[in-house]
Amino acid sequence: MGSAFSSFLGSLPPLRDFILPTPQAYTTLLNIFQYFPVFSLAQWVVSWHPAGKGSYQSSWLNIPGKLGWFIMEIVGPVNLLYILYKLPPMLNISSLPLSNKLAASLYVIHYVNRAIISPFLAAPSMSPMHATVVTMAVLFNWLNSTCLAGWLVGYHVPVLGYKTDGTVSGAQGGSSRYSPATHFLPCLGMVLFAAGMIGNIHSERTLFRLRREAAEKRDAAKKSDQAITQNEDEDHPTFIQASSSSSSTDANANANDKKNNKYAKVYVIPPARGVFRSILYPHYVFEWLEWLGFALVGTAVFPTRQALAFSSPPLQIAPWLRPAAAFAEKLQVPLPLPAVLFVVNAVANMLPHARWGRKWYVEKFGEKAVAGRGAAVPWCPWL
């Protein structure tokens, strides 16, 4: 076992080749990242996720919510743009085809909203995030953005058993790089990406608005109670000695947090209407729709002639990716493998969180308030 692991490590490219990926390093990262769904199976049995609703009240490893969210989300676009900018001149941003630039732009636009606008301009508050969660998210986004960057500069990895470069064989005048689907699928992808992003933003902003309204009502009720209590105390003054117990200290710390931000730890269950009529996490589903559209836009991203001059070792893709390879081969379009990985891995990562989130809603508000809604699958109590 040890010798096999040592042999594997010895076959890896140098570390610097992963920072600015060479074709071999790019293939290695794809091979690793395609098996993320296997590792994500642990999330189905372990509810531990110390962030958001499940965050710890106090831990020395906690990172302020908005800062932690910014760190883990900004890694993706920064790394993508860095790689596109720093690779050799014949592969830099200005030399890329329009379709490659479009795909890169869609990715960056999504993450500008996720890393900056959503936490700092839209969210009323964000609970502390454990450093472990932030670290794992940073690793995911770095892997994902590195694979996407290698794809967008034109690297092509031959997929064993499939023809996935998008070349149309038998075309008049010889081989052609375009098929009718190459024009239709990217247009459909743009529509799906736009619809998904709009739906994602609308769903999140609805949750933020409901939290603000609940916090305002609670704050108004608290002030009203304090006014009544103050009037009663003026007539019947009493004195209470403060306790120095550790539990009292934690309670005071939590109270101070809420005093500093009245929106902290205010959670509501969305009413069963609109995009929340049948599911509790429509923002997840809309994000998956975004990345499905992104993958379809990617069917217009062909390997560049400059990148084809570099040799990439062939890849044996995971069984759950073979339908996508067969689909690309049948329609004679390029297989946007990193974009397909993004869709699959996003679902594999977020679906178990949605399932545990539905369980939290049931425990917090009751099954009656959940109203039979699924987490991400309409009217499915388990999903």
Side-chain angles (χ1 to χ4, degrees):
M1 181 70 178
S3 60
F5 184 70
S6 300
S7 176
F8 169 75
L9 290 179
S11 66
L12 293 177
L15 180 60
R16 65 177 181 274
D17 289 356
F18 292 101
I19 304 303
L20 288 174
T22 62
Q24 183 182 0
Y26 169 65
T27 303
T28 301
L29 291 177
L30 281 179
N31 200 21
I32 294 171
F33 200 42
Q34 70 172 336
Y35 289 103
F36 174 83
V38 175
F39 298 100
S40 71
L41 291 176
Q43 297 177 96
W44 289 94
V45 294
V46 178
S47 63
W48 185 80
H49 187 73
K53 300 181 185 69
S55 65
Y56 298 137
Q57 292 293 338
S58 59
S59 171
W60 67 275
L61 285 174
N62 272 357
I63 297 174
K66 294 188 177 185
L67 175 62
W69 190 267
F70 171 78
I71 291 172
M72 71 184 198
E73 297 287 2
I74 202 65
V75 166
V78 169
N79 184 53
L80 180 96
L81 293 175
Y82 172 77
I83 292 173
L84 294 183
Y85 177 75
K86 293 293 289 184
L87 279 176
M90 74 285 292
L91 298 176
N92 65 15
I93 296 176
S94 61
S95 69
L96 294 177
L98 180 61
S99 56
N100 301 48
K101 294 177 182 177
L102 174 62
S105 299
L106 295 179
Y107 180 86
V108 171
I109 288 170
H110 171 89
Y111 276 99
V112 166
N113 173 65
R114 296 292 292 166
I116 300 173
I117 298 174
S118 185
F120 296 114
L121 301 179
S125 70
M126 283 188 169
S127 298
M129 307 177 71
H130 199 274
T132 306
V133 173
V134 176
T135 301
M136 290 189 295
V138 165
L139 178 60
F140 179 95
N141 285 326
W142 177 82
L143 266 171
N144 184 50
S145 58
T146 302
C147 290
L148 290 172
W151 165 60
L152 290 175
V153 299
Y155 288 166
H156 174 63
V157 176
V159 175
L160 292 175
Y162 299 93
K163 181 175 175 54
T164 59
D165 62 357
T167 301
V168 180
S169 59
Q172 185 176 3
S175 180
S176 170
R177 288 164 59 89
Y178 296 94
S179 73
T182 307
H183 303 285
F184 168 72
L185 291 180
C187 294
L188 175 61
M190 283 297 300
V191 172
L192 294 181
F193 183 90
M197 187 168 188
I198 291 170
N200 176 266
I201 292 173
H202 169 71
S203 303
E204 281 202 333
R205 300 303 186 268
T206 299
L207 287 173
F208 294 158
R209 175 178 57 80
L210 292 172
R211 288 182 59 197
R212 282 194 177 90
E213 292 173 354
E216 296 290 352
K217 289 179 182 178
R218 186 185 69 173
D219 192 54
K222 182 179 179 180
K223 289 179 179 177
S224 177
D225 290 343
Q226 287 175 343
I228 294 173
T229 302
Q230 183 178 1
N231 291 335
E232 291 177 349
D233 289 346
E234 289 174 355
D235 295 332
H236 307 284
T238 58
F239 301 92
I240 302 175
Q241 184 176 0
S243 169
S244 60
S245 67
S246 60
S247 60
S248 176
T249 302
D250 290 341
N252 289 336
N254 294 336
N256 288 334
D257 289 341
K258 292 182 178 180
K259 183 178 180 181
N260 294 333
N261 185 352
K262 63 184 177 182
Y263 304 110
K265 285 295 182 182
V266 176
Y267 296 109
V268 297
I269 185 167
R273 61 173 180 262
V275 293
F276 295 93
R277 181 176 299 278
S278 61
I279 56 177
L280 293 166
Y281 287 84
H283 46 305
Y284 283 16
V285 177
F286 279 119
E287 184 168 342
W288 300 338
L289 184 64
E290 266 189 271
W291 298 126
L292 175 60
F294 178 76
L296 292 179
V297 170
T299 59
V301 175
F302 287 86
T304 61
R305 290 185 177 87
Q306 296 91 337
L308 285 173
F310 300 94
S311 59
S312 296
L315 181 68
Q316 180 70 56
I317 60 173
W320 49 86
L321 300 173
R322 291 173 188 170
F327 179 75
E329 184 178 54
K330 182 177 179 61
L331 294 182
Q332 297 183 315
V333 297
L335 172 65
L337 184 56
V340 173
L341 285 182
F342 194 4
V343 179
V344 173
N345 292 348
V347 175
N349 180 47
M350 298 164 70
L351 186 56
H353 288 315
R355 178 174 173 266
W356 285 113
R358 185 191 187 280
K359 185 175 183 293
W360 183 90
Y361 274 122
V362 172
E363 293 173 350
K364 184 78 173 178
F365 300 102
E367 189 65 59
K368 184 177 180 181
V370 172
R373 287 175 283 179
V377 179
W379 311 117
C380 178
W382 194 70
L383 291 175

